[in-house]
Amino acid sequence: MRIPLFPLQTVFFPGETVPLHIFEARYKALIRDCMDEAITFGIPVFIDNTMVYGTEVQLKEIVNTYEGGAMDIVCVARQVFKVITFDPQMDDKLYPGGVVTFLDPIQDSDPKLVESVLNACKELYTLMELPFGPIKREVFNSFTLAHKMGLSFQQEYQLLQLTSEKVRLQFLLDHLEQTIKVLAQLKRTRDLIELNGHFRNFDPLDFED
Protein backbone atom coordinates (compact mmCIF):
# COMPACT_ATOMS: atom_id res chain seq x y z
CA MET A 1 0.00 0.00 0.00
CA ARG A 2 1.26 3.49 -0.86
CA ILE A 3 0.66 6.22 1.72
CA PRO A 4 1.99 9.69 2.60
CA LEU A 5 4.85 9.61 5.11
CA PHE A 6 5.85 12.06 7.85
CA PRO A 7 9.16 10.80 9.34
CA LEU A 8 9.84 11.69 12.97
CA GLN A 9 12.33 10.67 15.68
CA THR A 10 9.44 9.47 17.81
CA VAL A 11 7.63 6.18 18.43
CA PHE A 12 3.84 6.16 18.47
CA PHE A 13 1.93 3.06 19.54
CA PRO A 14 -1.42 1.90 18.13
CA GLY A 15 -4.35 3.37 20.05
CA GLU A 16 -2.57 6.39 21.46
CA THR A 17 -3.39 10.03 20.82
CA VAL A 18 -0.78 11.81 18.70
CA PRO A 19 -0.49 15.61 19.14
CA LEU A 20 1.56 17.30 16.42
CA HIS A 21 2.55 20.88 15.59
CA ILE A 22 2.59 21.30 11.82
CA PHE A 23 4.59 24.21 10.40
CA GLU A 24 6.43 23.08 7.24
CA ALA A 25 4.66 23.84 3.95
CA ARG A 26 4.84 20.24 2.74
CA TYR A 27 3.18 18.86 5.86
CA LYS A 28 0.58 21.62 5.94
CA ALA A 29 -0.31 20.41 2.44
CA LEU A 30 -0.49 16.83 3.78
CA ILE A 31 -2.95 17.82 6.50
CA ARG A 32 -5.11 19.67 3.98
CA ASP A 33 -5.22 16.51 1.86
CA CYS A 34 -6.15 14.47 4.93
CA MET A 35 -9.06 16.83 5.52
CA ASP A 36 -10.21 16.98 1.91
CA GLU A 37 -9.70 13.34 0.95
CA ALA A 38 -10.07 11.56 4.34
CA ILE A 39 -6.71 9.83 3.88
CA THR A 40 -4.36 8.56 6.57
CA PHE A 41 -0.59 8.96 6.70
CA GLY A 42 2.33 7.10 8.21
CA ILE A 43 4.92 8.21 10.75
CA PRO A 44 8.04 6.11 10.13
CA VAL A 45 10.51 6.18 13.01
CA PHE A 46 13.79 7.83 12.06
CA ILE A 47 16.41 6.02 14.10
CA ASP A 48 20.10 5.30 13.46
CA ASN A 49 19.75 6.98 10.04
CA THR A 50 17.13 4.43 8.98
CA MET A 51 13.35 4.34 8.56
CA VAL A 52 12.05 0.77 8.65
CA TYR A 53 9.04 0.65 10.98
CA GLY A 54 6.36 3.17 11.83
CA THR A 55 2.72 3.73 12.68
CA GLU A 56 -0.22 4.76 10.52
CA VAL A 57 -2.20 7.67 11.98
CA GLN A 58 -5.56 9.26 11.22
CA LEU A 59 -6.32 12.97 11.59
CA LYS A 60 -8.86 13.49 14.35
CA GLU A 61 -8.94 17.22 14.98
CA ILE A 62 -7.29 20.53 14.12
CA VAL A 63 -7.00 22.20 17.51
CA ASN A 64 -5.41 25.54 16.55
CA THR A 65 -4.55 27.34 13.33
CA TYR A 66 -1.95 30.08 13.48
CA GLU A 67 -1.19 33.07 11.29
CA GLY A 68 0.91 31.76 8.45
CA GLY A 69 -0.91 28.42 8.36
CA ALA A 70 0.85 26.48 11.12
CA MET A 71 -1.44 24.06 12.98
CA ASP A 72 -1.78 22.09 16.17
CA ILE A 73 -3.45 18.81 15.31
CA VAL A 74 -4.48 15.63 17.08
CA CYS A 75 -4.29 12.24 15.39
CA VAL A 76 -5.01 8.69 16.50
CA ALA A 77 -2.38 6.00 15.93
CA ARG A 78 -3.80 2.93 14.20
CA GLN A 79 -1.50 0.15 13.01
CA VAL A 80 2.18 -0.64 12.64
CA PHE A 81 3.81 -0.89 9.23
CA LYS A 82 7.14 -1.71 7.65
CA VAL A 83 8.55 0.65 5.03
CA ILE A 84 9.21 -1.03 1.68
CA THR A 85 10.09 2.06 -0.36
CA PHE A 86 10.48 5.74 0.50
CA ASP A 87 10.09 8.63 -1.92
CA PRO A 88 11.12 12.15 -0.79
CA GLN A 89 8.22 13.44 -2.86
CA MET A 90 4.98 11.54 -3.43
CA ASP A 91 3.87 11.96 -7.07
CA ASP A 92 3.02 15.63 -7.61
CA LYS A 93 2.73 16.33 -3.87
CA LEU A 94 5.10 18.35 -1.73
CA TYR A 95 5.32 15.70 0.99
CA PRO A 96 7.08 12.29 1.08
CA GLY A 97 5.38 8.96 0.57
CA GLY A 98 6.14 5.32 0.09
CA VAL A 99 5.01 1.74 -0.12
CA VAL A 100 4.39 0.08 3.24
CA THR A 101 3.16 -3.29 4.42
CA PHE A 102 1.11 -3.52 7.61
CA LEU A 103 2.12 -6.00 10.31
CA ASP A 104 -0.49 -8.58 11.31
CA PRO A 105 -0.93 -8.39 15.10
CA ILE A 106 -1.19 -11.65 17.02
CA GLN A 107 -3.86 -11.38 19.73
CA ASP A 108 -2.49 -13.94 22.18
CA SER A 109 -2.66 -11.97 25.42
CA ASP A 110 -2.16 -13.92 28.66
CA PRO A 111 -4.29 -12.69 31.63
CA LYS A 112 -1.67 -13.83 34.16
CA LEU A 113 1.04 -12.00 32.26
CA VAL A 114 -1.13 -8.86 32.11
CA GLU A 115 -1.57 -9.02 35.89
CA SER A 116 2.18 -9.48 36.39
CA VAL A 117 2.94 -6.45 34.22
CA LEU A 118 0.41 -4.28 36.06
CA ASN A 119 1.70 -5.37 39.47
CA ALA A 120 5.30 -4.72 38.45
CA CYS A 121 4.36 -1.31 37.06
CA LYS A 122 2.60 -0.44 40.32
CA GLU A 123 5.69 -1.54 42.28
CA LEU A 124 7.90 0.64 40.06
CA TYR A 125 5.70 3.68 40.63
CA THR A 126 5.67 3.01 44.38
CA LEU A 127 9.48 2.91 44.46
CA MET A 128 9.56 6.19 42.54
CA GLU A 129 6.88 7.66 44.85
CA LEU A 130 4.61 8.40 41.91
CA PRO A 131 0.82 7.92 41.75
CA PHE A 132 -0.36 4.93 39.76
CA GLY A 133 -3.98 5.39 38.71
CA PRO A 134 -6.55 2.63 38.28
CA ILE A 135 -6.22 0.68 35.02
CA LYS A 136 -9.18 -0.94 33.31
CA ARG A 137 -8.11 -4.55 32.77
CA GLU A 138 -10.64 -5.08 29.96
CA VAL A 139 -9.05 -2.44 27.72
CA PHE A 140 -5.42 -2.77 28.83
CA ASN A 141 -2.81 -3.95 26.33
CA SER A 142 0.97 -3.83 26.03
CA PHE A 143 0.88 -0.39 24.41
CA THR A 144 -1.29 1.28 27.08
CA LEU A 145 1.55 2.25 29.44
CA ALA A 146 4.51 1.72 27.11
CA HIS A 147 5.55 5.39 27.27
CA LYS A 148 5.29 5.36 31.08
CA MET A 149 7.62 2.51 32.00
CA GLY A 150 10.96 4.21 31.46
CA LEU A 151 11.74 2.50 28.16
CA SER A 152 14.52 4.02 26.11
CA PHE A 153 13.84 5.23 22.56
CA GLN A 154 15.52 2.09 21.22
CA GLN A 155 13.41 -0.14 23.49
CA GLU A 156 10.20 1.57 22.40
CA TYR A 157 11.19 1.03 18.78
CA GLN A 158 11.93 -2.64 19.50
CA LEU A 159 8.54 -3.04 21.19
CA LEU A 160 6.80 -1.49 18.17
CA GLN A 161 8.16 -4.25 15.92
CA LEU A 162 6.86 -7.15 18.02
CA THR A 163 3.64 -8.58 16.57
CA SER A 164 2.71 -10.94 19.42
CA GLU A 165 0.88 -9.38 22.38
CA LYS A 166 2.25 -12.10 24.66
CA VAL A 167 5.81 -11.41 23.56
CA ARG A 168 5.30 -7.66 24.05
CA LEU A 169 3.96 -8.22 27.58
CA GLN A 170 6.96 -10.41 28.45
CA PHE A 171 9.28 -7.73 27.00
CA LEU A 172 7.70 -5.15 29.32
CA LEU A 173 7.79 -7.46 32.34
CA ASP A 174 11.50 -8.19 31.82
CA HIS A 175 12.21 -4.46 31.62
CA LEU A 176 10.13 -3.68 34.69
CA GLU A 177 11.72 -6.41 36.81
CA GLN A 178 15.22 -5.23 35.89
CA THR A 179 14.35 -1.59 36.56
CA ILE A 180 12.75 -2.44 39.91
CA LYS A 181 15.86 -4.40 40.92
CA VAL A 182 18.10 -1.41 40.15
CA LEU A 183 15.81 1.10 41.89
CA ALA A 184 15.44 -1.11 44.96
CA GLN A 185 19.23 -1.31 45.27
CA LEU A 186 19.49 2.47 44.91
CA LYS A 187 16.85 2.92 47.60
CA ARG A 188 18.76 0.62 49.96
CA THR A 189 21.94 2.60 49.27
CA ARG A 190 20.15 5.88 49.96
CA ASP A 191 18.69 4.50 53.21
CA LEU A 192 22.15 3.40 54.35
CA ILE A 193 23.62 6.81 53.56
CA GLU A 194 20.86 8.53 55.54
CA LEU A 195 21.22 6.08 58.42
CA ASN A 196 24.92 6.85 58.77
CA GLY A 197 24.08 10.45 59.48
CA HIS A 198 22.12 9.62 62.64
CA PHE A 199 23.22 8.97 66.25
CA ARG A 200 23.02 5.27 67.04
CA ASN A 201 23.86 2.96 69.90
CA PHE A 202 26.61 0.45 69.21
CA ASP A 203 27.41 -2.52 71.39
CA PRO A 204 31.15 -2.43 72.06
CA LEU A 205 33.06 -5.57 71.10
CA ASP A 206 34.19 -7.64 74.03
CA PHE A 207 37.67 -9.09 73.52
CA GLU A 208 37.99 -10.49 77.02
CA ASP A 209 38.07 -14.26 77.48
Side-chain angles (χ1 to χ4, degrees):
M1 182 177 180
R2 199 156 184 258
I3 62 173
L5 295 175
F6 184 179
L8 290 172
Q9 286 183 303
T10 308
V11 174
F12 293 111
F13 296 113
E16 77 169 296
T17 299
V18 181
L20 296 172
H21 179 69
I22 307 298
F23 59 92
E24 288 189 46
R26 54 182 172 170
Y27 296 121
K28 288 188 284 187
L30 169 58
I31 300 307
R32 285 194 296 269
D33 285 350
C34 288
M35 294 170 54
D36 296 340
E37 303 172 25
I39 60 173
T40 61
F41 63 96
I43 300 182
V45 182
F46 185 77
I47 181 172
D48 298 329
N49 291 316
T50 65
M51 289 184 293
V52 182
Y53 292 92
T55 311
E56 177 198 29
V57 301
Q58 182 173 22
L59 178 65
K60 181 180 179 182
E61 180 185 5
I62 296 178
V63 179
N64 293 308
T65 301
Y66 300 93
E67 186 177 349
M71 295 172 275
D72 292 329
I73 68 170
V74 173
C75 300
V76 176
R78 296 177 52 174
Q79 53 186 332
V80 181
F81 62 79
K82 184 176 182 179
V83 178
I84 306 303
T85 65
F86 178 83
D87 302 312
Q89 192 169 341
M90 185 174 179
D91 301 328
D92 59 343
K93 305 293 185 179
L94 294 174
Y95 48 79
V99 176
V100 304
T101 181
F102 293 102
L103 305 188
D104 292 325
I106 302 172
Q107 305 298 341
D108 56 353
S109 181
D110 182 338
K112 291 183 179 179
L113 200 50
V114 168
E115 199 65 27
S116 295
V117 169
L118 288 172
N119 288 337
C121 198
K122 185 176 181 179
E123 183 178 354
L124 173 64
Y125 273 56
T126 299
L127 280 170
M128 297 180 67
E129 300 179 351
L130 294 172
F132 185 70
I135 302 296
K136 294 182 179 179
R137 301 312 202 259
E138 62 273 15
V139 296
F140 176 83
N141 63 54
S142 56
F143 294 136
T144 304
L145 296 173
H147 287 310
K148 300 180 179 180
M149 294 186 180
L151 295 173
S152 68
F153 180 37
Q154 288 76 14
Q155 287 174 317
E156 288 190 345
Y157 185 60
Q158 186 178 350
L159 180 68
L160 187 72
Q161 301 171 43
L162 302 176
T163 56
S164 163
E165 174 68 0
K166 187 174 182 179
V167 171
R168 289 195 298 264
L169 288 168
Q170 187 62 57
F171 179 91
L172 293 177
L173 184 59
D174 291 343
H175 164 75
L176 286 166
E177 289 178 343
Q178 181 61 32
T179 304
I180 288 168
K181 182 179 178 181
V182 171
L183 286 177
Q185 181 60 51
L186 287 173
K187 186 178 184 302
R188 284 193 294 271
T189 301
R190 185 185 66 182
D191 290 344
L192 285 171
I193 291 172
E194 291 177 349
L195 183 63
N196 283 329
H198 297 161
F199 290 102
R200 289 176 291 161
N201 291 324
F202 292 97
D203 291 329
L205 297 176
D206 187 357
F207 293 103
E208 295 182 1
D209 294 330

